[in-house]
Amino acid sequence: MVRSSSFLWLPLLLFVGLLTPGSVHAETYQTCTGFITSLPVLISSQGKWCLKSDLATAITAGNAITVNTNNVIIDCNDFKIGDLAAGAGTVAIGVYSLSRANTTVRHCNIRGFYTGILLGGIGSGALVEDNRLDNNTYVGIEVDGDSSIIRGNRVFDTGGSTATPYAHGINAAYSVDVIDNVVDGVTATSGGGGSSYGIVTTVDSNGSVSGNRVRNLAKDGIGVVFGIFNASSGHLDLRDNFLVGDGSSGSIGLQCSNSNASARDNSIDGFETALQTCTDSGGNVAIP
């Protein structure tokens, strides 16, 4: 009977053996155009560029990965890109592109940079998904450009820069959808009097901010805590977000610049003002 049971377990053990970390990472290698093996690096050819190990640097300025062409995918395969050794004074960026189309960043663990991911300028079609960003000192993720998506990311413990007193979890400019992200821990630099922002959108005329979880925000001194802050908002849809503030004076859960932005079915807990200027379209729950 013992031999029979062992025999039956053998296929299962063989299957589990196939699921080692190395084999999970390797599943995507066959689709890679090339590999990023050291930092800093400039990507100037289109295609999918992959990591197959953790990488670290100590740069205090510039970019660890610069995307210098359109139609590029950076896939870290859940490996790390680190700049913790640069310290709180760094102004370096983890993954950077300027005015590029169709840049994708996925499955990256980015830590210790001034800004973790910055797809800036007026690009388009960017996708930032399924990344973990932690201990970046100013901004976790920033994407500027129409038809872009920031989705399913985890942004932890942002703040502490000596170069600025402010801290932002996620920034988006132009028509960007910010969907199903977790922003946990955004802390303004001590002694600087700065504000903390969970999610910021600017000139987002046709996008959405939905299904996000924002919590553990901390200002410093005269600063203000904002859950989701929308500057120059257009027909922006704010829906199904869960926001938890610190109960501080002046704190605002959902801030809009005009009534074109519509808020529906949001849970807003621990802010002095739950909704400011946004149109209340119903179903919002505010807990002081």
Side-chain angles (χ1 to χ4, degrees), residues 32 58 61 78 115 117 249 270 272 277:
C32 298
D78 297 316
T115 301
I117 298 170
S249 176
E272 185 174 70
T277 312

Side-chain angles (χ1 to χ4, degrees), residues 180-233:
D180 295 335
N181 302 281
V182 174
V183 177
D184 193 335
V186 182
T187 304
T189 303
S190 178
S195 299
S196 67
Y197 300 79
I199 296 173
V200 177
T201 73
T202 305
V203 200
D204 197 335
S205 56
N206 297 297
S208 65
V209 182
S210 62
N212 300 285
R213 305 291 181 262
V214 178
R215 53 184 175 257
N216 292 322
L217 311 174
K219 69 182 183 68
D220 180 75
I222 62 171
V224 178
V225 165
F226 296 92
I228 298 176
F229 181 93
N230 307 287
S232 303
S233 50

Side-chain angles (χ1 to χ4, degrees), residues 103 105 119 123-131 141-153 170-182 199-212 228 230 234-239 241 262:
T103 301
V105 183
L119 310 184
S124 63
L127 174 61
V128 177
E129 65 176 357
D130 298 330
N131 301 285
I141 299 170
E142 179 169 337
V143 173
D144 306 334
D146 291 337
S147 304
S148 297
I149 299 173
I150 304 171
R151 176 177 63 204
N153 301 283
I170 294 175
N171 288 350
Y174 306 101
S175 293
V176 180
D177 293 314
V178 184
I179 306 169
D180 295 335
N181 302 281
V182 174
I199 296 173
V200 177
T201 73
T202 305
V203 200
D204 197 335
S205 56
N206 297 297
S208 65
V209 182
S210 62
N212 300 285
I228 298 176
N230 307 287
H235 295 283
L236 181 64
D237 183 50
L238 306 165
R239 186 184 298 262
N241 299 288
S262 171

Side-chain angles (χ1 to χ4, degrees), residues 41-47 49 66-70 72:
V41 65
L42 177 68
I43 303 297
S44 55
S45 298
Q46 297 183 5
W49 293 85
T66 302
V67 176
N68 201 34
T69 188
N70 300 328
V72 168

